[in-house]
Amino acid sequence: MTTPSTTDTPTDQATADATADRALKAKHAAMWASGSYATVADEIVGTLGATLVAAVDVRPGDRVLDVAAGTGSSAIPAARRGAEVTATDLTPELLEVGRAAAEAQGVELTWRTADAEALPFGDGAFDAVISCIGVMFAPHHERAADELVRTSRSGGRIGVLSWTPAGFIGQMFATMKPYAPPPPPGASPAPLWGLADHVRSLFGDRVTDLTASQQQLRVDRFADGAAFRDFFKANYGPTISVYRFIAEDPAKVKALDEDLAALGDRFVHDGVMEWEYLLVTGRRV
Ligand SMILES: C[S@@+](CC[C@H](N)C(=O)[O-])C[C@H]1O[C@@H](n2cnc3c(N)ncnc32)[C@H](O)[C@@H]1O
């Protein structure tokens, strides 16, 4: 008689899948908690949040959901406009930083740990659902897009801002890929959210009035590629995690050091870099 495996029935398979997904998300949360994403937001990318909030035209009284809110780069500006904001993120450590900053500024909003792929809110609960360089990092794009759509009320606004594959941060992920562990099964590359056609197909006919525009974030923080690399190596979770993966192989560490500095040098012109992103807005049907 053969012993049944633990995944013999559909229920067992679903349990195994859920366990694997929880483990993957715990790994992602630990990655984003490493280094100091707050420093990256404060010193470089934080202004994108207000850009997204303006594009979605957040108004006083709007119920706004910020997905993958991090330290609140878009949630806090949305709350400043008088909206009733819920900031969610996989990484509680980042929400805590945001909560403290908002309190210090006298801005009120709700902070809640949540996976973008399984949001703990009812259908149509929000007037605006936004995500700034955030939802792109949830590994299952369809599930995450479905959740953005589901939690938005009919007629509500959806806004997503993402790094493009060809832009600087997209190129940074491409540069790190040969040094990184293979992606988990079923995961899609984050920068695909930076392609208008990809986002259009994720939302399908559930979102109308879709606009997509490529824009650039001007970054004058780095004199050269090595300065960019060292800053990301110290502060940015995904970069830190790749370096940890190859830590026992000095030749690979040296090669990645050189590749990232060379990439940075290609983008720095007179101390200024342009980091391309895609800004998508639409309306829930
Ligand atoms: C680059 S940060 C952006 C944070 C913030 N929106 C901003 O503009 O500064 C990416 C964020 O995505 C979050 N994240 C990654 N995977 C997630 C998931 N599956 N569900 C929710 N948040 C996730 C990370 O914890 C991190 O805070």
Side-chain angles (χ1 to χ4, degrees):
M1 198 176 95
T2 52
T3 311
S5 86
T6 51
T7 54
D8 259 3
T9 68
T11 316
D12 288 341
Q13 187 58 53
T15 307
D17 289 349
T19 304
D21 195 56
R22 266 199 305 279
L24 175 65
K25 300 298 170 49
K27 210 167 131 192
H28 284 181
M31 175 181 83
W32 285 104
S34 66
S36 174
Y37 182 72
T39 305
V40 179
D42 286 350
E43 296 190 15
I44 306 175
V45 299
T47 55
L48 292 174
T51 301
L52 177 61
V53 165
V56 172
D57 190 21
V58 170
R59 295 172 214 142
D62 276 346
R63 295 161 303 164
V64 174
L65 174 64
D66 186 5
V67 176
T71 56
S73 301
S74 35
I76 294 175
R80 279 191 183 289
R81 288 182 167 223
E84 198 184 295
V85 179
T86 303
T88 60
D89 198 278
L90 194 62
T91 310
E93 291 88 341
L94 297 183
L95 293 176
E96 280 312 313
V97 175
R99 188 198 303 272
E103 261 171 36
Q105 296 166 39
V107 182
E108 276 188 27
L109 55 153
T110 302
W111 303 87
R112 185 157 175 187
T113 304
D115 181 355
E117 297 179 5
L119 293 168
F121 307 105
D123 298 357
F126 295 94
D127 301 305
V129 179
I130 59 177
S131 190
C132 182
I133 50 171
V135 72
M136 63 181 295
F137 294 106
H140 307 104
H141 294 193
E142 287 78 11
R143 277 188 223 161
D146 288 353
E147 286 294 82
L148 299 183
V149 169
R150 182 185 67 75
T151 51
S152 173
R153 73 163 165 81
S154 173
R157 285 102 69 211
I158 296 179
V160 181
L161 190 156
S162 309
W163 302 120
T164 64
F168 180 66
I169 296 295
Q171 286 300 298
M172 182 191 73
F173 278 101
T175 301
M176 296 195 305
K177 192 168 177 220
Y179 301 92
S188 299
L192 286 183
W193 273 92
L195 297 177
D197 283 348
H198 182 67
V199 181
R200 218 172 262 125
S201 77
L202 288 173
F203 288 151
D205 58 9
R206 301 172 297 177
V207 174
T208 183
D209 299 338
L210 198 102
T211 69
S213 71
Q214 273 182 5
Q215 302 183 19
Q216 308 280 348
L217 175 70
R218 183 180 187 277
V219 176
D220 60 5
R221 172 71 172 64
F222 306 113
D224 58 19
F228 141 74
R229 176 202 63 211
D230 292 344
F231 181 88
F232 268 62
K233 220 173 149 172
N235 293 303
Y236 191 65
T239 307
I240 293 167
S241 118
V242 174
Y243 272 102
R244 280 193 184 146
F245 183 67
I246 59 171
E248 303 303 318
D249 188 336
K252 277 193 180 169
V253 171
K254 184 167 178 291
L256 180 56
D257 273 350
E258 288 168 3
D259 288 353
L260 286 177
L263 171 73
D265 283 337
R266 283 214 308 279
F267 278 78
V268 179
H269 301 291
D270 295 328
V272 176
M273 305 174 86
E274 304 254 291
W275 294 7
E276 186 182 77
Y277 59 87
L278 184 77
L279 177 54
V280 174
T281 64
R283 189 173 289 280
R284 173 80 167 101
V285 171

